[in-house]
Amino acid sequence: MTQDPRDAQNSIHEAALHFHKYPKPGKLEIRPTKPLGNQRDLALAYSPGVAAPCEEIAKNPATVSDYTSRGNLVAVISNGTAVLGLGAIGALASKPVMEGKAVLFKKFAGIDVFDIEIDEEDPGKLVDVIAPLEPTFGGINLEDIKAPECFEVEEALRERMEIPVFHDDQHGTAIIVAAAVINGLRLAKKKIEDVKIVTSGAGAAAIACLNLLISLGAKRENIWVADRDGLVTKNRLNSMDRWRAAFAQDTDKTTMAEVMDNADVFVGLSAAGVLKPELLKKMAPNPLVMALANPIPEIMPELAKEARPDAMMCTGRSDYPNQVNNVLCFPFMFRGALDVGATAINEEMKMAAVHAIAKLAHEPALEASTAEAGATFGPEYLIPNPFDQRLILRIAPAVAKAAMESGVATRPIEDFDAYHDRLNRFVFRSGMVMKPIIDMARSSNKRVVYADGEDERVLRAAQVALEDGIAKPILIGRPAVIEHRIEKFGLNLELGKDVEVINPEDDPRYRDYVDLFHSLVGRSGVTPDTARTIVRTNTTVIGALAVKRGEADALICGLQGRYIKHVRDIKSIIGLDESASDVSALSMLIMRRGVFFFADTYVTMDPSPDELVEIALQAQDHLKRFNIEAKAALLSYSNFGSRDGETSKKMRLAYNKLKAAAPEMIIEGEMQGDLALNQMLRERYIPSSDLKGEANLLLFPNLDAANLSMTLIKELNDALSVGPILMGTAKPAHILSPSVTSRGIVNMTAVAVSEAVGADAK
């Protein structure tokens, strides 16, 4: 039974009200960035310590970004006169929208925002309220101010203020529209200076779009604009503002319908249903239709495709391809502008954003979850997905460079590699922790074999590993399937050139693989016939054999099947390191609080004291690769002998053995989890402990405790997991979690390669 649209709307309405009200009203809060735990902290944060930065700023105003949040603080300002989809609802009612804009700034670009709703409709008075706020903010984002007043307000503020002022309703929409036009015309094999553009709507966004298209090369004489009163012509000049009048054509025609013949581009920023199918049929071949009215566009995509199958469609809706969403632009524009202390957002910066967005649509997405199904550059994918994590990596540096080159940057970036690295760490929380591992892996030319070579996540990860110089991928899978999926996902991998393929169904090395496998497991009940079947069907076995034969330097597997079964295959083929008695698993969680390692989280059910010592020493070696000094805690339900029991005695004995085996290692225990992380609590028992601050390597008495603790903490803290890292193998081999992302596979690839590089250095 189909749900009534009115019921769906009511359901969304009620859910939205609940969302905004609970667990506390609104979508924002303010949190301190410095500790305030004692009297000294208070003295530094406020009186008397706060006088020091005040004096420095008074002497040199440029230092304000060194000592305050101003350099990362934007004001989102509205008077509520043109709230999207709601109209002139007033400043107070616009506050939820402005809070939402603030959340997007923080989520997508790490920018802090104060939303300011001003109950003033007079543009001159509004300017007088906003302009004196310059000492507080690094930038001003104007929002939902009606036209033409929005033009007046922005122009006046840009003249009076030495910080970026950006009316997103105008320029954000224009930047994304321009990027879509670049790519749409490229597919249609048309030049922008030759195309005919028809626009429905003459508000702030429409005028900004047309101005930016002219900057790209469109001819003003080829642009036709219609508003609610008909075609904008010179016969109507007395009834129009100067911004609209700039597009008035000298013609006796009065309606949009009269100028639709052979139009190449339609830009709709008006109302539902304005573009009728019969008008669309008049347009030139391969027309670009940007029907951006919300929630119902000027023509629905289904209706447009029925009338013109060759049309390329963009809408403002998230349930159709090519969504023109301002979040593609504004957070990253401000990120780049703030990072160079720009005094304005100028045309050069906007144009840099346009080209960065357009170019990104040609690149395959890293994560399938942030790409439309099978998204590759084409009519259904003219602009990137709003959740593409690389938007900040492309737009912010482009905008920053344009600001520097156009002379509006007060704090130019000296090292763009370092800047890109900082942005990368923001996008990928694992970036800072993984940096030394990735640096070690880069340009090593190590070969990594992927057992799940047909999986989309593996293919995307292989693309990144190849492009970033982390590894040379070897894919296990059927070549025809891999090639089809490479094409489907828009990847730039060429079999035999960029990546090697091991085909389980037909590989010339098959007999050699079978012979080697049987020689390794023949005395474990595996017959020659069984060996032949396994080498045809078990991709982990195939990958392990490639590593064993020296045809690959590391193995990545595990997307299908049970973890412990993969462990068995790896142990039987690759074998154990000469210093290891068994394998174990180390898991890393990256949280706001810091980085913590857990062991053994996947393999050893009930490790003995000697096995715990071995696990700790192997984990210490892995932490060194991350440039992290291990500070280990042996965990138990008791604190330093407070209770006797089987596990507490085991952990106590493991402590003594580990101190004897590695006296230089920082380790403490046995103790409960809170003592491992809280020095004050720990000092009540052992004031002279070598462990200071928090332990970062947590060793558990059994698999139950380790796995449960790791998975619970991960979910409760929205932690990012790296691993599990399989320790103790003769050569690098890692078993992925089935839920791993493409970025997680890239991280584990780097870990595996760093191990191989480390082994070479021994």
Side-chain angles (χ1 to χ4, degrees):
M1 183 177 178
T2 304
Q3 185 181 18
D4 190 314
R6 290 169 296 183
D7 293 338
Q9 186 63 33
N10 289 336
S11 176
I12 292 173
H13 180 84
E14 293 302 318
L17 290 178
H18 188 276
F19 176 87
H20 282 78
K21 189 172 182 178
Y22 300 102
K24 60 187 298 185
K27 299 188 284 280
L28 295 171
E29 66 179 8
I30 296 174
R31 293 186 178 185
T33 60
K34 300 296 189 294
L36 291 170
N38 52 49
Q39 190 66 34
R40 176 175 170 76
D41 290 344
L42 188 60
L44 292 172
Y46 197 53
S47 180
V50 74
C54 291
E55 290 168 346
E56 291 300 314
I57 295 168
K59 288 187 293 185
N60 181 6
T63 62
V64 67
S65 295
D66 297 329
Y67 299 117
T68 76
S69 63
R70 182 179 184 266
N72 194 53
L73 187 62
V74 166
V76 171
I77 298 178
S78 180
N79 65 356
T81 52
V83 180
L84 181 64
L86 299 173
I89 60 175
L92 185 64
S94 76
K95 188 171 179 64
V97 179
M98 303 311 124
E99 283 190 355
K101 195 68 176 276
V103 170
L104 296 178
F105 265 108
K106 188 67 175 180
K107 170 69 176 178
F108 288 98
I111 294 172
D112 296 314
V113 164
F114 290 157
D115 63 289
I116 301 176
E117 294 74 33
I118 301 173
D119 192 10
E120 179 57 69
E121 295 189 18
D122 181 273
K125 292 180 180 179
L126 191 59
V127 169
D128 288 338
V129 172
I130 297 170
L133 298 175
E134 184 169 341
T136 303
F137 298 102
I140 303 291
N141 183 100
L142 301 174
E143 192 77 14
D144 293 348
I145 301 172
K146 69 184 179 75
E149 287 87 342
C150 62
F151 300 118
E152 300 175 36
V153 171
E154 186 186 38
E155 284 182 4
L157 290 174
R158 286 169 64 101
E159 290 177 5
R160 289 178 58 174
M161 304 182 82
E162 290 295 314
I163 58 174
V165 178
F166 187 80
H167 186 208
D168 184 47
D169 299 328
Q170 295 180 55
H171 308 300
T173 302
I175 287 167
I176 303 159
V177 165
V181 168
I182 287 174
N183 283 337
L185 295 184
R186 175 174 175 172
L187 287 173
K189 295 181 173 57
K190 299 176 182 179
K191 295 181 179 179
I192 193 167
E193 59 267 26
D194 299 330
V195 299
K196 179 179 180 181
I197 301 170
V198 176
T199 301
S200 174
I207 298 300
C209 288
L210 297 177
N211 284 329
L212 200 54
L213 292 177
I214 288 172
S215 297
L216 280 174
K219 302 296 185 184
R220 193 177 293 266
E221 58 267 26
N222 293 338
I223 298 174
W224 299 81
V225 180
D227 61 14
R228 67 186 63 188
D229 296 322
L231 208 59
V232 173
T233 68
K234 292 187 176 180
N235 296 328
R236 293 177 49 201
L237 287 180
N238 292 335
S239 62
M240 289 185 292
D241 58 70
R242 59 185 173 93
W243 296 278
R244 195 175 313 189
F247 293 93
Q249 292 274 22
D250 188 6
T251 180
D252 292 330
K253 296 175 181 178
T254 59
T255 67
M256 185 180 79
E258 294 176 83
V259 297
M260 286 299 295
D261 289 329
N262 294 314
D264 299 283
V265 179
F266 172 81
V267 180
L269 287 153
S270 53
V274 168
L275 183 60
K276 305 298 182 185
E278 56 268 26
L279 297 183
L280 178 56
K281 290 179 180 179
K282 292 183 175 184
M283 294 184 71
N286 302 308
L288 174 59
V289 178
M290 311 195 75
L292 307 181
N294 258 326
I296 302 174
E298 285 78 3
I299 186 169
M300 291 298 291
E302 298 89 348
L303 193 58
K305 286 293 184 182
E306 183 180 337
R308 287 295 298 269
D310 61 337
M312 293 173 281
M313 282 289 302
C314 296
T315 71
R317 293 172 55 135
S318 60
D319 52 346
Y320 290 100
N322 295 323
Q323 183 193 12
V324 175
N325 187 327
N326 286 15
V327 80
L328 271 167
C329 169
F330 71 82
F332 319 118
M333 286 287 301
F334 272 96
R335 182 72 279 158
L338 292 173
D339 289 340
V340 294
T343 57
I345 291 178
N346 56 28
E347 291 303 306
E348 292 88 345
M349 295 160 73
K350 289 188 284 185
M351 198 59 67
V354 169
H355 288 292
I357 294 170
K359 186 177 179 182
L360 182 56
H362 297 259
E363 301 179 27
L366 171 60
E367 297 292 351
S369 60
T370 58
E372 287 86 357
T376 59
F377 177 65
E380 300 292 299
Y381 194 69
L382 296 174
I383 47 179
N385 183 287
F387 286 91
D388 193 313
Q389 295 169 304
R390 298 162 303 170
L391 284 163
I392 191 172
L393 303 178
R394 301 292 187 274
I395 299 173
V399 170
K401 285 180 180 178
M404 291 164 57
E405 291 168 0
S406 60
V408 298
T410 61
R411 299 191 306 276
I413 294 170
E414 296 181 1
D415 186 343
F416 266 91
D417 288 338
Y419 179 57
H420 190 276
D421 185 59
R422 179 157 63 90
L423 294 175
N424 192 73
R425 292 199 301 268
F426 169 75
V427 175
F428 304 110
R429 284 186 289 168
S430 61
M432 182 178 294
V433 181
M434 291 299 303
K435 187 178 187 305
I437 297 289
I438 291 174
D439 287 346
M440 188 186 302
R442 280 200 172 112
S443 303
S444 65
N445 288 319
K446 293 298 182 184
R447 301 154 299 169
V448 175
V449 60
Y450 297 90
D452 302 284
E454 296 177 1
D455 189 278
E456 178 181 355
R457 292 166 292 174
V458 168
L459 293 172
R460 293 185 186 278
Q463 176 89 57
V464 175
L466 186 69
E467 290 178 352
D468 290 356
I470 294 172
K472 297 172 69 174
I474 302 171
L475 305 174
I476 300 177
R478 294 160 293 178
V481 173
I482 293 173
E483 285 184 327
H484 171 73
R485 292 180 180 176
I486 286 172
E487 182 179 359
K488 177 182 178 182
F489 305 137
L491 303 176
N492 302 317
L493 296 172
E494 185 177 339
L495 302 191
K497 178 183 177 183
D498 300 319
V499 295
E500 181 185 339
V501 175
I502 299 176
N503 182 1
E505 295 180 345
D506 183 21
D507 192 282
R509 296 164 291 187
Y510 172 69
R511 292 179 182 274
D512 295 333
Y513 275 38
V514 171
D515 290 343
L516 175 58
F517 181 56
H518 188 259
S519 73
L520 294 169
V521 300
R523 294 186 179 275
S524 299
V526 178
T527 67
D529 284 344
T530 303
R532 282 190 284 271
T533 301
I534 290 173
V535 176
R536 282 276 190 224
T537 58
N538 188 322
T539 56
T540 295
V541 167
I542 298 170
L545 289 167
V547 173
K548 184 73 172 179
R549 284 166 52 89
E551 296 164 355
D553 299 294
L555 166 66
I556 301 292
C557 64
L559 292 182
Q560 303 292 331
R562 294 184 297 124
Y563 187 93
I564 204 65
K565 184 175 180 297
H566 294 288
V567 168
R568 183 198 68 194
D569 292 335
I570 290 168
K571 285 172 62 176
S572 66
I573 299 169
I574 294 177
L576 299 175
D577 183 79
E578 59 185 17
S579 64
S581 62
D582 203 349
V583 297
S584 58
L586 177 69
S587 294
M588 177 169 68
L589 294 185
I590 303 171
M591 297 177 279
R592 183 184 294 271
R593 180 166 179 162
V595 180
F596 297 90
F597 294 82
F598 298 70
D600 171 4
T601 49
Y602 279 87
V603 181
T604 315
M605 293 292 296
D606 187 15
S608 68
D610 288 331
E611 287 173 325
L612 284 166
V613 169
E614 188 174 301
I615 290 168
L617 294 176
Q618 290 173 344
Q620 181 186 35
D621 288 341
H622 274 281
L623 266 65
K624 287 178 182 176
R625 291 194 181 94
F626 290 95
N627 289 341
I628 296 173
E629 182 182 24
K631 297 195 292 184
L634 288 156
L635 301 181
S636 175
Y637 58 81
S638 66
N639 288 316
F640 309 104
S642 63
R643 289 186 63 182
D644 277 335
E646 188 175 327
T647 57
S648 61
K649 289 179 180 178
K650 176 172 70 173
M651 301 308 279
R652 211 172 304 156
L653 180 56
Y655 169 78
N656 292 328
K657 285 177 172 286
L658 189 53
K659 288 298 288 183
E664 79 291 344
M665 186 176 181
I666 300 173
I667 186 162
E668 193 56 271
E670 92 286 7
M671 57 185 168
Q672 294 175 355
D674 54 354
L675 267 67
L677 302 178
N678 189 316
Q679 181 173 329
M680 291 179 62
L681 290 178
R682 189 166 58 247
E683 287 180 347
R684 295 178 187 176
Y685 289 85
I686 309 290
S688 60
S689 173
D690 292 336
L691 174 59
K692 304 301 181 185
E694 295 180 328
N696 56 22
L697 173 56
L698 306 177
L699 302 165
F700 293 84
N702 55 48
L703 186 58
D704 279 346
N707 189 274
L708 285 170
S709 297
M710 185 269 294
T711 52
L712 278 171
I713 291 172
K714 176 186 173 185
E715 289 302 312
L716 289 172
N717 292 276
D718 188 28
L720 179 68
S721 174
V722 176
I725 300 169
L726 189 63
M727 304 187 296
T729 55
K731 292 185 179 181
H734 296 291
I735 305 164
L736 302 169
S737 165
S739 61
V740 70
T741 63
S742 295
R743 172 55 55 174
I745 298 174
V746 172
N747 286 338
M748 289 310 301
T749 299
V751 168
V753 172
S754 72
E755 289 179 78
V757 171
D760 289 346
K762 287 183 179 180

